[in-house]
Amino acid sequence: MSQKVSLKRSLEMLESRIESLPDEKRHLLQEDLHMLVERMLEAGLELPKRVRLLDDFLMEEGIEAQFDNMPV
């Protein structure tokens, strides 16, 4: 199996995992998604717009989650 096919399959599986999580937990997989995005770009793959948007969204959610846990 080629690297590009393997990366695309990994993306599909990771997207499914993200979708299966409750909204408040999805940001926990952002780092995994971002690393996969980087590997795909290095391999010369064009990223679907939805993947870029998902990566950005999860990053923002992760930042917000950090503030939710701060004592006041």
Side-chain angles (χ1 to χ4, degrees):
M1 177 182 334
S2 76
Q3 180 187 16
K4 291 180 181 183
V5 171
S6 177
L7 289 171
K8 286 180 181 181
R9 283 193 180 159
S10 295
L11 177 61
E12 290 171 2
M13 290 188 316
L14 185 54
E15 282 182 299
S16 293
R17 285 181 55 207
I18 291 169
E19 290 173 8
S20 71
L21 290 175
D23 290 346
E24 66 275 3
K25 299 283 185 186
R26 290 181 178 178
H27 70 276
L28 298 174
L29 293 178
Q30 188 277 327
E31 187 175 336
D32 294 342
L33 178 63
H34 190 74
M35 289 178 13
L36 183 56
V37 163
E38 291 294 319
R39 289 179 35 214
M40 292 177 77
L41 291 173
E42 289 172 5
L45 289 170
E46 187 173 328
L47 290 176
K49 185 176 181 177
R50 74 177 192 286
V51 174
R52 290 179 190 266
L53 292 174
L54 179 60
D55 188 32
D56 291 343
F57 176 76
L58 293 178
M59 188 179 313
E60 290 175 15
E61 289 293 309
I63 291 169
E64 286 183 28
Q66 290 176 356
F67 288 106
D68 290 344
N69 295 323
M70 292 183 86
V72 177

